[in-house]
Structures are given as C-alpha cells and as structure tokens.
Amino acid sequence: MPLQTPLLDNLHEAVSAWFLGPQAENFSVLEDLFERTLNSQTEVRREYALKHGDPVFITPEMQQSQIFQDNRNFLKERFKEVLDAFNRYSVPFFSPRYAGHMNMETTLPAVAGMVSTILFNPNNVTFEASPITTMVELSVGKELCEMLGYDVKDDEGTSTKPTSWGHLPSDGTLANLQSMWYRRPHLYFYPLALRAAMEDGEPLAFVADSFEVHPCAAPDKSVLFRDLSAWDLLNLRVDEILSLGDRLHEQYGISATFLTATLDKFIIQSTSKDVLVSKFQIEEPPQYLLSNTKHYSWPKSAAILGIGSDNCVNVPVDNDARLDIVELRKALQDRLERKQAVYAVVAMLGTTEEGAVDSLVDILALRDEFQTQGLSFVVHVDAAWGGYFASMIRPNPSSPYKLPADPPDVVFVPTIALRESTVLQIRALRHADSITIDPHKSGYIPYPAGGLCYRDGRMRFLLTWSAPYLHDAFESIGSYGVEGSKAGAPAMATHLHHQVIGLHKEGHGALLGQASFTCRRMFAHWAAMSDATTPFVVVPFNPLINDDDPEKLEEEKRFIRENILGRENLDVIRNPTAMKELCAIGSDLNINTFACNFRINGQVNEDVEEANYLNNRIFDRLSVTAPNEEPIMLPLFLSASVFGIKDYGKCVENYKRRLGLETESKQDLFVLRNVVMSPFQSAGNYLPRIASAFQEILQDEIKNVVWRNTLAPQTHCFTMQGTDQLFLTYRPLFRKANGRLQLIVSATFADAREWKEYLMYRNRFPDSVFSINTEGQVLLSDILRHQTLKGVIIGGPVEPFNVVLSDIRVIKQRPLDSRWRDPEYPLFAPFYLYGTTEQQHIDHMLLRAPNAQLSADKVELNLDKKLPKEELERGALLMIDRQEVAMQPFNEENPPSFFIYNATFNVTVYRDPREAVAHGPGLASINETEKLASGTMQLSSKAIYVDYMELNTEDFVSDGRIITDYTSAKAPRSIKELWSEVAKEKLNTR
C-alpha cells in the first residue's frame, strides 16, 4: 500500500524524498537500497544452495588464481571506461537545467525495483518463467486502469462482468501497434469470420437460423446475425462483438475449445484479410482517423500490419494543435456516405510536441452520434505522455492532508491544478475503448516501460487465436502481445513506484502538479521575455490571454514581469490575480513550445528561413550535438521540433503570423521546446537563472542573424559573358541579405581601350571563365541605381586589371528570399537565355534552395525557329529536357555533373512574360502559347561556371557550428560519424 499517513507540511519535501537529487543529495538512501539488493541477492543464492546441499562452484582458490584476477581486473578497467564515458558525455537529465525531452532522473523506488529485479532476470512472456513479476505486471495493469477511470475486478475475483485489463509492452510505439493489431484484423473482421462459419455446411450452420445480435444503428433491436450485410458486420459495436463468444456459449453451450477450433480456418490470423475482403466484397479499405500531429508510430504500425500508412488519414488540427472536431465530423460523414468503415479514431492526450489534449468528450459524442447512423468505430486514446496526469485528479481518500495556507519553507514548490478543459478529457478516459500510457514518460520509470489498457479486458484475447471469452486471469501475458521476450524488471520498477508514491493527487499527482506549476512559471518567462522595444521576439505557441490585442498584450506582459517573474513561489500563490494568470496560460500538459524572431531597425523580420536559422542556432548551442561539446559546458538543455505545413496547416500559419512572419511561402517552421518534469526547477527562485542563460545565448545569436540580414557595403562578384556585347551574371548567396539576388545585366566598358584589352584576353584564353569583382565594398543597389561599376577583372593567367563599366541595364533581377522561392524543384531544368543574335548565354534559374549556379558562355543553339532579337535582349526562358526534380538537391556529394563542356540537350525556348524586375514563386511556369522555338543546345565553350558550394553557404559564423538544414533538429551524418569515433576510442565499439 502507498504511504497513507498525512504528508509533511510542505509537499515538496515528500517529493524530494523520491529522487536521488540534482546533486545526489539522497546518495545515502540509494546506497542503502543497492546494499540491501546485493545482500539480499547473496542471501537467496546461498540459501538455495544450502537447501539442496550444493557445493561451492567458485572456490577461494579459483578466485586467487592469476587468470581469475586478470579477468576481474579487466572487468574493472572496462567498467571504469563505461563510467567515464557516461560521466563525460551523457546528458544530465538529473539537473534542473535539463528542459529538453521527456526525460528526467527516475524515482528511487523505480530504480530500486528495476535493479533488484534485473539480478533475477525474469521473462514475463510466460508465467512459469516469472510468477512474481507476471502477477506484479497484472497488478500494475490494474492500477493503471483504475487511475485512468476504468472498472477493475474486485479482489476476490467473483465478478462476472467484463472488466478492464492492462499490461506493459516495452514502449508506447509497441502499445500503439498492439492496439492497432487487435482492432484491424481481429475485432472488425471477427464478425465476418463468424458469419462465414455459419454458412450451409459449415460447423456453426446449426445456429444461423436463431442466433440474433443488435445492429449498430438499433442497439435495442434484435436481428438474425446471418441477415446482416457486410457493412453491418463491420460496424457492430465493440461490446456487441466482444459478447459474441459468451452468448454462443450461453445460448447453445458452444465451448471455447470448439469455437476456437472452428474459427481457425476463417479468422484472418489464418487466412489473411484478403480472403474475407473478397468473400464479402468490401471495396473500400477501413481506415484510421488521427490528428495531423499524431506520433510517428501510427503510420509505422499501419505499414507493419498491412493496413497501409495511406489508411492512417490525417485530420487537420486547430490553432491550438488539437484535433479539429469540425474536420473530424466531415471525415466521418464522408466515410458514412461512401460506406467506408473506420477502424478507429485516435485522440491525443498530450501531444509530444506541444502537450496538447484533444477533445475526447467531443470525439466520444461523435462516436455515439454516428453509431445511430450505422457507423461504429473504436476510440483509442494515445496518452503515452499524458496518461499519468490522471493522478492529479484522483483523491487519496484515506489521507486528511491539506495544502497549508501559509507554508514557511523558502524552497516551497506548490502544485497547480490542470485547467478544467483538460480535466474534462481525463474524466472521459473511462469511456475510451483503449488507452496507451507510458510509465517511462510522465511516470518517471526507467526505460523500457510502455503501457496499454483495455476498457474491456476481453479485447486482449483477440490478439490470440482464441475466442473472446472471460479467460483465466493467470494466463501468460506474452499471449496478448507481439514481444517474444518481456522483461519483468520494468513491471517491478513501476509497481514499487506506485506502491511508494501512490497514483493520487498527494502522490504522483503532487509530483506532476509541482512540475505543472514550474511549467507555467517557465512559460511566463518565455511569454514576457520580449516586448516591442527588444531586438528579439519570443513568442510561445500557446497564446497569452490578450494575444489578439497588442496594447493589452503588452500590459499583460508587464503584469507577468512585475507579479510572477522573479517572485518567490509563496508570493505568487498569495497573489490571487497572479495565480489566475498562471492557471490560464501555458500548454495543456507540461510542454512549452516557443520560437524566436528578430528585429532590424525596429522592424520584425518576416523571412521564415531566417527565423528558422536563428532558432536552429539556439538549439544547436543548447543541445549536445558534437563530441567536442561536453554536456557539462552547456548552461541549459532544450529540444526542438518542426511544425510542417503539411501536418499543421492553418495552425502553423497562425503561429507564423503571431511571430511576425510571412505565410505566403508555406514553409515549415522550426520551433524550440522545453518539457518540464523536474519538481526542482522552480524551487528557491531558480527559474530566473534558466531564463537568463537562455536570453544570453539568444542575444548573442541575434547579433549574428541581424548581421547576415542587414544590407551593407561588400565586395560583389559577377561572371562575365560575351565578346560582342558584355553580360554579367551575379554570383549570389541564398543565406546573406547582401547576396540574396539572382541578377543578369548587360554593360559596356566606359573606356574602349579597356574593352579592347578584355577582348584580347578572352581570345587568348577562350577556355577561362572571367569575372569582375567590385573595387572596394559597395551596395549592389548603388551599382544598379548609378548604372556604373568600378571593378577588377580576374581570369585565366591574366594579372587582375581595373576597369569601369557603365550603361548597366537589368535583364533579370530576381530576389532569392525564401518567401519568393518555389515550394518544389521544377520538373525540367530551367535557364535564362539572353544575348545577341550572334551570341547567346544561359544562367540556371535559382528557384529553390539548395541549388547550383550554372552559367555558360556562347552556347550553340540549333532551333527550328530564329529567336527574335528583342526576346534575347530582354531574356527568354530555356527548358532543358532533363528532370531537375530528380537530380536535386545539388551538393558536394551530388554535383551537377550533367553540365559539362560539349554536353548537348534537347531544349524548348519560351518568352518570359515577366518584367525585368520580378519575384517568384512560379518564375519558371510556362504557357505553350509563349513558345518561341525548340531544338538542341550544346555547351560549346569551356567557359562554364558551376557553383553549388558558395551559393549554398549555410553559416557565416566561424565558431565551428554549421547549420546544414534550418528545418531539421536531426544530427547530420558528419556529427554522427564524430560520435562513432568517440565510442570507438572510449569504449572499443565497432
């Protein structure tokens, strides 16, 4: 039984007893637990040997031998290497400065339960290999079911009513897979298999004329089972399906043995789904409906089970990243009208990126509504993260404990209640058909410990080859899952944690309550960190109360700064207005997602890519990425995620607007995330230290991102083309404001002698690419405005020489800001074609990043029509018959090797309908009515310029940090290779 005596006056003191502590303050407690474990292990082994008179197998003489000593010392040496590697490179989840993923140190009871069991190494896949831990796991499953609101069987086991059942698969992914497994082949196709077994000549034909069931749309009406259509069979209600076996036994005396043997040749475990689909002429595959923010395990599980990830249908989310109930209704109505069955609707109780809680109440109401129309589906709740938060609303009836009105301790950490909307969803869990819950997430249990709970325990029998009867409670758990081996240690760890701490608001709920209070206080820092005057902008994903009113929003931020930030916890809870604010802000469940932006000269940046760069730089500095950055050097740990436009839709577009970013380009958004699990972060007014550490790095990175996005004089470089008329193609940079422009101009030499000298060198070195650099640092806009360029020509073996160019005329000027780029690479490789009737040149259109600048001088065209002079002067569009989308992205590992001397291509030339100065996207879109000619093009000159490195430069900061993908938090291959080398060096890995 969990501790039932009243807790200490300060609940935080009780919570502090459950962990080793950020500085191992409870070392003596853990040392005692480990000592007890080893002493107990010694006692049990010696006692067993003594009982049976066994000899000593490892004698003192053996232990004194040289080879024994050598092996023992070798173990110690290798173990020291392991400890040293862990101590040097492991992320300090134990520290309050860790606020990244769903990780924290595990509780002392959980550690003790895990370690003590590992030495016995029980396998819960079968009862005889784990009698104790099997019963412990069944008990834990019952505890989880009870916490979630399910009915549990009484201790005497006398109840005949089907009740809940739960167990511990290794993680949430496996739990989701198993939940999908029982629904897909077993639950929904079980009535079809039973119906096939009742046909004439089959073993169950004798019941066909009298066996009745209750159809989905009319649960109070009885109809012959054999008269149901395939649609009706697929949509029987869950309870109706699960009762079929028991009713056959009650009405006809059919035994479980007979029914199991009979159905063996009909159920899809034996025949495959295709047999029943064909037999009953099911045209549309049943589907899953889930929010776009679902965990990746769902499409993965659908692929494994043969459902197909395409049949995991995404339902859009609203602006709070919760499943959009209006969109769900539309999806259900569409499937009802098309007679396409729905396996399940999955609700999220705590998304992994935002901590959002879907409206389970509304989803259950939709299930009831659509069942009256003949469409039934299972409701599963993915509460891998949020399930344990149910402990926050479960009372401890035997404890009189009340939170003191005036707690005196300076490190007092109060709990905070869940918002009412979240409580409503948690209370509705008891009506869901199944629930995923992970003890190794918000349960503070060591990995691996997932959980799966069924409202009706008979569901588990559908995972076996037996009929869904009320089975013996002592069957091996392994029969009901996909694991071939099942560790008993996680079950014992979870059990001891539950027993010591308790699954109620004064136990585990208090722990999560303190973390929730800390999360709200941390959110307050993110929300109030910036104002209208700061050079940076910090915007939490979850809005403040007055988010829609700029003036009131600034007032709310001021209130937070004055009444919450920097205040002691006791001061905050004594301030009713401050507590009201805290209760209203933040996410549903202990995750703060936020993003940063920047201002230049008071104007908020609108470029999504540059905001992504800023946030990725911050994440890179506040996470362990490279081995040369030891965790001890980091002042704070955060995690990151990407809000993809495909998944988040209007939700991420709304968030971009709040950040001051443009929304036309439909780019993904890189966001930062802090998960709060530690009850120690807000103790002793510690949170300001964390916020200060973050702000220091933010301000440092703001300098960098402002620099790269500020227009300033610099040296510019152009590739020179043509010997009858001079053309210049600018060498741009995607990620720097000064070079973020594709530019093609014509020009003349101000001095005829310089033009003559240039032609001489071109004729002497025809295979060389000549370029011109600006003389000194200038603004590109000044060159275009004054139509003059003073520069230095470089090419071949020629000594650089200074010239002046004038009469600069823009042929193509295309900004390369991320908002103006195409969302996808083009089908055919597009180029700008320009020049004179005698000489034509090309420059590759830069429509998306990364890319390659491909410029060729004096190409040889063989076309079916002559190109008009005026089209060459203004620049036409030339399409090479090569699949660019299949070749991109160009980079060091994948260079544009097709663009070489003497290469010949089939081409089509179109008139460019756009003005000289224009922006994308869609610059390469063509209309056949604009076609000018077609034929072939040969790269007949060796003066070819190719650049896929400098153009795509990601970072201009010389600190060794190179952000290679602004919309990815994944470590690049180069970083993983570095870690591989460290593991080889330190631990002798392969």
Side-chain angles (χ1 to χ4, degrees), residues 259-280:
L259 185 59
T260 298
T262 296
L263 292 181
D264 184 58
K265 73 172 187 176
F266 298 101
I267 57 177
I268 67 173
Q269 293 98 310
S270 302
T271 67
S272 88
K273 173 174 65 73
D274 295 341
V275 173
L276 291 176
V277 167
S278 175
K279 180 178 181 61
F280 289 92

Side-chain angles (χ1 to χ4, degrees), residues 149 166 226 241 297 320 381 436 443 490 514 672 750 783 830 980:
R226 72 176 186 185
I241 296 173
S297 61
D320 296 311
V381 179
T436 296
Q514 291 188 17
L672 301 172
I783 295 175
S980 177

